[in-house]
Amino acid sequence: MSDRTLAGQFFDAAIGLLQRVRDEEAESVTAAGTLLADTVADGGRLFAFGAGHSSLAAQDVVYRAGGLALMNLLAVPGAVGVDVMPATLGSALERVDGLATAVLDSSPIRSGDALVIVSLSGRNALPVEMAMNARALGVKVIGVTSVVYATRTTSRHVSGTYLKDHCDVVLDSKIAVGDAELTLDTVPAPFAPASTVVTSALLQAVMATTAGVLADRGIEPPLLRSGNVDGGHEWNGKVFEQYADRIFYRR
């Protein structure tokens, strides 16, 4: 089997998943986008969190050309990517009880804000505790996860629950357990993960919905422009000034 054929199979798998979330998660995307629009309109702040590779989708909606300027990354040192050494430390931190509490206590997040939590499995202590404690603070939580994990794996949180159990809105990425779309007789492990593609698309669909809902209400969405187009930096400077009290990635 050629590499070209495998590449085509991966594209087909990714497209199939995107079509599924487009059709099956449409109501949840609308609900999530409306929740964020409500938060913006009410003066709240927006945050996104993800650990490990789940952080890629969270980072994709922060300080992004064409994106909402008010989306801030809620970072957990050592858990937001593979830059920590050793990389396995990040995975270990996801299973530490109490870490999410410490992060929330030292963050600017408060009642009336909204938090997007991305976790493919939704089973580790960090995202579960993050969602539970955020809601206890009066924060609305949107969870982006693969719901099937709750039926095929064991929770690693003391409560025995998953991220999906502690959200105001759940977006199901439909990713299969193990996050690998392809198999081959000559390859001993499944390969070609698609979770980043699908999760990022889901979140960008939510951001688009938020912008549309705000516009429908007569509120100009606080959007950023590319710094690589003429006038982009000037536009962004005005947005940063107008919403300085709700943007934390410039401090």
Side-chain angles (χ1 to χ4, degrees):
M1 187 176 294
S2 70
D3 290 342
R4 187 180 182 86
T5 301
L6 287 173
Q9 286 186 23
F10 176 76
F11 281 121
D12 288 344
I15 291 168
L17 285 163
L18 290 171
Q19 290 174 331
R20 281 193 66 193
V21 296
R22 178 196 64 192
D23 298 338
E24 298 174 20
E25 296 301 299
E27 290 186 8
S28 294
V29 168
T30 298
T34 303
L35 188 157
L36 294 183
D38 290 341
T39 304
V40 172
D42 292 340
R45 294 87 57 80
L46 310 180
F47 295 86
F49 165 77
H53 286 93
S54 290
S55 181
L56 296 175
Q59 293 179 58
D60 190 51
V61 295
V62 176
Y63 187 46
R64 184 66 189 265
L68 294 172
L70 304 191
M71 185 61 73
N72 301 277
L73 186 67
L74 187 63
V76 177
V80 294
V82 293
D83 56 334
V84 62
M85 293 297 174
T88 51
L89 175 60
S91 299
L93 289 174
E94 291 185 62
R95 300 191 289 271
V96 174
D97 292 323
L99 181 56
T101 302
V103 170
L104 288 172
D105 287 347
S106 60
S107 78
I109 201 165
R110 67 189 184 192
S111 179
D113 292 344
L115 172 61
V116 177
I117 300 177
V118 185
S119 175
L120 176 59
S121 71
R123 69 186 296 222
N124 287 312
L126 185 54
V128 174
E129 183 182 305
M130 187 79 74
M132 293 176 68
N133 290 6
R135 292 183 86 190
L137 292 172
V139 175
K140 296 293 185 180
V141 174
I142 297 170
V144 188
T145 186
S146 176
V147 172
V148 71
Y149 271 83
T151 65
R152 304 282 180 83
T153 66
T154 302
S155 170
R156 288 175 172 153
H157 188 258
V158 65
S159 68
T161 61
Y162 297 77
L163 170 60
K164 72 176 185 63
D165 300 317
H166 306 284
C167 299
D168 296 279
V169 179
V170 174
L171 299 173
D172 184 1
S173 64
K174 317 291 182 181
I175 299 295
V177 174
D179 191 18
E181 294 300 318
L182 302 183
T183 59
L184 200 58
D185 291 343
T186 54
V187 178
F191 55 100
S195 60
T196 303
V197 174
V198 176
T199 303
S200 293
L202 266 173
L203 283 183
Q204 290 299 348
V206 171
M207 298 300 116
T209 301
T210 301
V213 171
L214 288 170
D216 287 343
R217 297 178 184 178
I219 301 172
E220 182 179 325
L223 297 171
L224 295 174
R225 290 188 174 184
S226 172
N228 295 314
V229 300
D230 292 343
H233 287 300
E234 292 76 12
W235 171 279
N236 292 342
K238 292 178 181 178
V239 174
F240 291 150
E241 182 179 356
Q242 181 178 354
Y243 292 97
D245 61 330
R246 294 199 259 174
I247 295 174
F248 301 96
Y249 49 80
R250 300 185 71 240
R251 301 178 183 177

